[in-house]
Amino acid sequence: MAHVKGLRCRECSRDYPIEPIYVCEFCFGPLEVVYDYESIRGVLTRDEIRSRPQNLWRYRELLPVEGEPVVGKQSGFTPLIKADRLARAIGVDELYIKDDTVTHPTLSFKDRVVSVALSKASEFGFDTVACASTGNLAHAVAAQGAAGGFRRFVFIPATLERSKIVASLAYEPNVMAVEGNYDDVNRLCSEIANKYRWAFVNINIRPYYAEGSKTQGHEICEQLGWKAPDHVVVPCASGSLLTKIWKSFEEMHKLDLIPELRSKVFAAQPTGCSPISVAVKTQSEVIRPVKPDTIARSLAIGNPADGYYASRVVHNTGGWAEDATDQEIVDAMKLLARTEGIFAETAGGVTLACAIKLLQSGKLPREGSTVLCITGNGMKTKEALDGQVDNPHRIKPNLGSFEEVLSRIGDHG
Ligand SMILES: *Cc1c(COP(=O)(O)O)cnc(C)c1O
Ligand SMILES: [Zn+2]
């Protein structure tokens, strides 16, 4: 592992070897993977990256996997879409959508983190993989774990959307529906992880898992023509994705792959679970845990593990945070679908709804380039649109019946 130096505590900077550990023995701070950027600089050039297959492994020197990945070989490198129609609708100059609704194989950005986590779990010699999930992670572990030949345990809150539960069950892992919210699920999984030698991707494998999120940011810079966006809006659950997108921009800059770095990072949360956005908006150093109540179930983490670090990134980059109500989330899902033809899950509605509110408050400038991170597919949370979309026009199978409706429709649709 030439390019990975080891793990380091984010609080006290104590160094640790590459092992399935995640917390500092001395200060209980979280551990993070550190790289030898000097050695990577000579290898990972723009030309080299461009010559590689279009998946997340084109940034492999910046990922903590030593050998060949065992899963996720087609994950990542999702489209960055110039969203001109949406830009006009919400009043911004230059708008892009990082479209992780089409990530292979389970249609959310969690395929990125799971590709890295399971490949690392395999290197560590685990035969059982597991996770505590708000839905998408369970889906990705169930699917990619099957492809990698692992025994799988996924733990979810029992109240999750039915379509997400079915999506996980299809791959026949062991699905544990826990009577409690995500924070209860997570606490239980930490206990289990202490007792069983399993790879819990977002607990004992978390330092490696989290690195997978960086690839979304690497790709954004490459797809913008080797530059970082002026603004990026990121949905937050634990806050990990946001911190890793920032880390990826810093890496691109350190490696001279992008000329300058002035990006402002904005956090988006549902109002019914907004501990990070509340901390930013009240300029508090403390993340106050909440009991989630939101249709954006994939973001419903009341006690976010990386909340503090996410709020620091927002603060240090001059960004801001916002939160969106259930109705604003649905309206934004429909706006995105109507203008750009992208059907995102509730988390995507959160990102867009918060971007609109940030534009209205003037916190997010209308000038410059803005990237919205759209992280999951709408087919995964169809329930959110129950009663929120029109009924189809019911007609007889004849021209007259069709034209009778057509005359009423006018320009719509
Ligand atoms: C998990 C998830 C996120 C954010 O996750 P973090 O815990 O903040 O890294 C965003 N969008 C979707 C769809 C997710 O499933
Ligand atoms: Zn420490």
Side-chain angles (χ1 to χ4, degrees), residues 91-377:
V92 290
D93 279 359
E94 196 186 337
L95 185 68
Y96 301 87
I97 288 165
K98 182 56 173 166
D99 188 6
D100 269 15
T101 68
V102 292
T103 317
H104 190 267
T106 65
L107 309 180
S108 90
F109 102 93
K110 291 298 196 300
D111 284 318
R112 298 176 182 276
V113 284
V114 169
S115 300
V116 175
L118 297 196
S119 294
K120 196 67 205 172
S122 169
E123 288 182 358
F124 283 138
F126 288 100
D127 55 15
T128 302
V129 294
C131 67
S133 174
T134 56
N136 288 324
L137 184 57
H139 190 184
V141 168
Q144 297 207 41
F150 294 97
R151 182 169 176 241
R152 297 146 294 150
F153 283 86
V154 303
F155 296 76
I156 53 173
T159 56
L160 216 58
E161 298 98 331
R162 181 71 195 156
S163 50
K164 275 204 180 144
I165 298 178
V166 171
S168 288
L169 287 167
Y171 310 90
E172 299 184 358
N174 300 294
V175 178
M176 302 294 171
V178 181
E179 294 168 10
N181 62 29
Y182 174 81
D183 300 283
D184 299 317
V185 174
N186 193 44
R187 209 172 318 109
L188 169 64
C189 287
S190 298
E191 249 180 88
I192 297 170
N194 276 334
K195 182 154 181 198
Y196 295 84
R197 199 183 172 277
W198 295 351
F200 270 90
V201 299
N202 56 340
I203 301 177
N204 52 334
I205 307 297
R206 189 173 179 86
Y208 311 97
Y209 153 98
E211 291 293 290
S213 290
K214 293 190 308 190
T215 57
Q216 197 180 85
H218 295 142
E219 292 168 16
I220 289 171
C221 293
E222 178 181 349
Q223 291 168 316
L224 282 173
W226 307 105
K227 57 184 195 224
D230 296 317
H231 322 111
V232 59
V233 187
V234 188
C236 293
S238 72
S240 176
L241 172 63
L242 185 144
T243 64
K244 294 297 175 173
I245 284 183
W246 178 245
K247 184 177 180 183
S248 75
F249 290 178
E250 289 187 309
E251 289 179 339
M252 297 292 277
H253 188 234
K254 234 176 264 175
L255 296 172
D256 296 323
L257 293 167
I258 59 172
E260 54 180 17
L261 180 53
R262 295 172 311 185
S263 311
K264 297 182 176 186
V265 182
F266 295 82
Q269 292 209 288
T271 303
C273 184
S274 51
I276 298 172
S277 91
V278 166
V280 170
K281 285 159 102 179
T282 58
Q283 300 191 293
S284 162
E285 292 265 309
V286 191
I287 306 287
R288 287 219 169 69
V290 299
K291 273 220 180 313
D293 179 13
T294 168
I295 56 164
R297 304 256 174 81
S298 58
L299 301 181
I301 296 185
N303 189 9
D306 290 288
Y308 169 76
Y309 299 105
S311 73
R312 287 297 87 197
V313 167
V314 168
H315 178 81
N316 294 339
T317 62
W320 197 245
E322 200 35 278
D323 49 79
T325 65
D326 286 358
Q327 190 59 52
E328 289 168 337
I329 293 167
V330 170
D331 291 345
M333 288 167 70
K334 293 171 70 177
L335 176 63
L336 179 61
R338 188 164 74 230
T339 55
E340 296 296 335
I342 295 170
F343 183 25
E345 74 149 81
T346 46
V350 170
T351 305
L352 176 55
C354 289
I356 292 170
K357 294 173 90 168
L358 288 160
L359 288 165
Q360 285 163 351
S361 67
K363 295 287 186 188
L364 174 60
R366 296 182 187 273
E367 309 74 41
S369 57
T370 297
V371 172
L372 305 181
C373 294
I374 301 298
T375 47
N377 195 295

Side-chain angles (χ1 to χ4, degrees), residues 9 12 24 27 29:
C9 173
C12 74
C24 176
C27 76

